[in-house]
Amino acid sequence: EDPTTLDEAREQFDWLFIFEAARETHMFQGAAGDRVLMFEKQEQEKEYLSRMKHVSGDFNRWITRFEDQMETCQTIGVDLSEEARIVYFMNNLNDSIFGDVKSNFMDLSTRALFPQTYEELKQRMIAEYSQLMTRKPDVVIKIIRGEKPVLRLRKRVDTTTRSSLSNRIETVSNVKMEKIQKMTLGQSNLERLEGLRR
């Protein structure tokens, strides 16, 4: 498998990876004197961080690559606050695996239930991933392999069925209302009320 850190690259004798890492580091040092060039480099690395979607492959290996990219950003002077780390992380999670979790995170009424630090949030997502591997291993494995899982969608109710359902509900509601009125007003008052309506 491809290395994700310099240590792995050294173990695998992947000199191309080491050369590219060294070249990038050299470029950062060269850019330090030119503020415009440095700014462009920072924007480029932030953009890359924002597009690091976990599409396929092992989740823990993806986290390692994601954190390496955050480290690269900080090396060249990008200020990544705790909130920024959380937002980049959540936005890049795989929608097919973490769709429900992400929608709960986006909902302001349930966001307070989530950990407030990146490390705690990361550990929670790792635990969530492990649970999903236990509950839905077939789906998760297909996603890891880069295959598209078949998701069972709820059947849509067609418009004719929907309108007949709403008519039935309306009829039941009207019958219930008449019973309630008879109980509270009595029959004679109800007949008088009907007369006034006409």
Side-chain angles (χ1 to χ4, degrees):
E1 292 191 10
D2 293 336
T4 56
T5 64
L6 281 172
D7 289 337
E8 285 180 16
R10 286 189 195 101
E11 285 170 16
Q12 296 175 26
F13 301 102
D14 190 335
W15 305 118
L16 182 62
F17 181 93
I18 293 167
F19 170 74
E20 285 177 353
R23 190 185 61 174
E24 286 293 307
T25 309
H26 178 71
M27 281 175 67
F28 299 154
Q29 289 171 351
D34 187 332
R35 290 190 314 186
V36 173
L37 184 63
M38 195 63 173
F39 174 76
E40 286 175 344
K41 189 66 183 163
Q42 288 171 345
E43 291 300 301
Q44 182 185 357
E45 294 301 330
K46 279 199 304 187
E47 175 67 21
Y48 183 66
L49 182 65
S50 71
R51 291 186 285 106
M52 282 196 72
K53 282 273 183 195
H54 174 233
V55 179
S56 62
D58 180 65
F59 183 54
N60 291 306
R61 284 182 70 80
W62 171 80
I63 288 175
T64 303
R65 288 196 303 273
F66 176 79
E67 289 182 339
D68 283 349
Q69 181 58 26
M70 284 201 298
E71 200 173 312
T72 298
C73 287
Q74 288 182 305
T75 301
I76 60 170
V78 175
D79 181 28
L80 287 177
S81 65
E82 198 72 21
E83 294 76 18
R85 287 164 168 258
I86 287 170
V87 169
Y88 280 122
F89 182 73
M90 292 302 288
N91 285 346
N92 280 306
L93 291 179
N94 191 311
D95 294 327
S96 300
I97 299 173
F98 296 102
D100 292 342
V101 177
K102 286 177 78 171
S103 60
N104 286 336
F105 179 77
M106 296 307 290
D107 187 342
L108 294 176
S109 63
T110 52
R111 188 177 291 178
L113 302 172
F114 284 81
Q116 300 302 301
T117 67
Y118 167 75
E119 277 301 321
E120 289 173 352
L121 182 68
K122 177 180 78 172
Q123 292 307 320
R124 177 166 166 182
M125 293 304 105
I126 290 169
E128 187 80 26
Y129 180 78
S130 298
Q131 287 176 3
L132 284 166
M133 280 293 280
T134 307
R135 289 198 319 262
K136 300 177 183 176
D138 297 344
V139 174
V140 178
I141 288 166
K142 279 186 178 180
I143 293 164
I144 289 169
R145 288 180 181 158
E147 301 170 19
K148 291 191 176 179
V150 178
L151 301 172
R152 291 192 186 100
L153 300 173
R154 282 184 290 177
K155 274 186 164 181
R156 289 185 67 186
V157 181
D158 61 34
T159 50
T160 53
T161 310
R162 194 177 286 132
S163 65
S164 70
L165 280 171
S166 77
N167 288 341
R168 254 188 286 168
I169 291 165
E170 197 176 328
T171 306
V172 170
S173 298
N174 290 341
V175 169
K176 281 187 178 175
M177 275 306 294
E178 282 177 23
K179 283 183 180 176
I180 291 165
Q181 285 176 341
K182 280 180 186 174
M183 286 167 56
T184 53
L185 295 172
Q187 189 62 37
S188 59
N189 287 339
L190 188 62
E191 284 168 2
R192 238 182 300 156
L193 188 65
E194 285 298 321
L196 288 171
R197 282 182 185 160
R198 288 182 199 138

